[in-house]
Amino acid sequence: MLLTTFIKSILYFTLSMISTQNINLDNKIIPENIKKEVIEAISYYPELYDTAIEFKFKNNIKKSTMQAQPRFASFFKSKENREYVILISRNIQIEGEVFTIDDIPSDVIIGWIGHELGHVMDYRNRTNVGMLIFGVKYLFSSAHIKEVERAADTYAVAHGMGDYILKTKNFILENANLSEKYKERIRRLYISPEEVMELINKNKVEEEIEIVEKEG
């Protein structure tokens, strides 16, 4: 029993070292209680190595669980040097249900963070003027909300986070305490689990083709 525990500890330490090798933690600010989940999620985004991101708890985020946005102080820097903050609600209220971050399974948190990092990937490609237009459209256009939320999911799946995104969606869509009205809003604005599976399978096929081409 002691040997098994020791081996597990060694494996966990080794995997942790491997997962952080390609992550620049010098420009990331991460709360200790979600550090494992953040490191796991961000390990799928090597492009964000040089991107400064702060993960920050907030008591309440209107209509959101998490929210990625450029840091205001860096907004007028070049898009390459822009910094970001991902706000995380301490108490997640969905209709009458209230969750704390500790109530949510680790894989679901990873999926949520992966989705927000998908937003960061999207923002990195936008100019400052483009970000201003983006913000205005997000406030007033449900079609635009659908477009950018689906884009964030697509970025996450394309980076190999499909399984986590599925778990996050199922956490909401299979929750018996949430109304069909709320679930329908999620289905309308976000990629469906079926579409996620299609993207996962498409990515696998593309990866297999790349392997065959390299071997050829």
Side-chain angles (χ1 to χ4, degrees):
M1 184 70 178
L2 287 173
L3 181 60
T4 302
T5 303
F6 176 74
I7 291 171
K8 285 182 177 179
S9 299
I10 293 295
L11 284 172
Y12 178 79
F13 176 77
T14 303
L15 289 171
S16 297
M17 290 295 292
I18 292 171
S19 65
T20 58
Q21 281 179 352
N22 297 319
I23 301 171
N24 183 1
L25 294 179
D26 291 335
N27 60 8
K28 308 293 187 296
I29 301 174
I30 308 170
E32 196 62 36
N33 62 330
I34 57 167
K35 191 168 186 177
K36 177 173 72 74
E37 287 80 7
V38 170
I39 287 175
E40 174 66 16
I42 208 167
S43 69
Y44 287 86
Y45 291 91
E47 302 95 326
L48 298 178
Y49 182 88
D50 292 320
T51 303
I53 305 173
E54 178 181 3
F55 298 82
K56 183 178 181 180
F57 281 110
K58 189 176 180 181
N59 287 334
N60 185 37
I61 304 173
K62 190 176 181 181
K63 296 183 179 180
S64 295
T65 303
M66 298 186 188
Q67 188 177 79
Q69 59 191 41
R71 189 183 292 281
F72 182 77
S74 73
F75 188 80
F76 296 102
K77 294 181 180 180
S78 65
K79 62 182 180 180
E80 292 80 11
N81 295 316
R82 198 182 290 146
E83 300 170 6
Y84 300 90
V85 59
I86 293 180
L87 300 174
I88 303 164
S89 182
R90 289 187 186 277
N91 296 307
I92 300 163
Q93 183 167 351
I94 305 175
E95 296 181 315
E97 287 291 298
V98 179
F99 308 92
T100 68
I101 202 73
D102 296 325
D103 297 326
I104 300 173
S106 179
D107 284 354
V108 174
I109 296 172
I110 293 169
W112 249 317
I113 293 170
H115 173 86
E116 295 306 318
L117 291 172
H119 281 304
V120 173
M121 291 294 296
D122 184 15
Y123 300 162
R124 288 170 76 246
N125 296 320
R126 298 177 185 268
T127 63
N128 292 335
V129 173
M131 284 300 300
L132 286 172
I133 295 171
F134 169 92
V136 172
K137 290 172 71 175
Y138 196 91
L139 288 174
F140 298 105
S141 171
S142 59
H144 183 65
I145 293 173
K146 179 177 180 178
E147 178 186 337
V148 298
E149 295 300 344
R150 290 172 68 89
D153 275 343
T154 302
Y155 270 113
V157 175
H159 280 75
M161 296 197 70
D163 288 341
Y164 288 118
I165 296 298
L166 273 177
K167 288 177 181 178
T168 301
K169 291 184 182 300
N170 289 334
F171 177 77
I172 295 172
L173 296 176
E174 295 177 3
N175 191 317
N177 295 318
L178 300 180
S179 72
E180 278 304 313
K181 181 179 179 181
Y182 177 79
K183 292 176 184 179
E184 183 55 37
R185 179 179 179 275
I186 297 300
R187 294 187 188 102
R188 177 169 51 85
L189 295 178
Y190 295 79
I191 288 178
S192 69
E194 292 76 18
E195 288 175 293
V196 172
M197 285 303 303
E198 288 179 10
L199 286 172
I200 291 172
N201 292 331
K202 180 182 177 182
N203 287 342
K204 286 180 179 178
V205 170
E206 290 176 350
E207 287 173 4
E208 289 174 3
I209 291 173
E210 287 179 7
I211 291 170
V212 170
E213 288 177 346
K214 287 179 181 178
E215 290 178 347

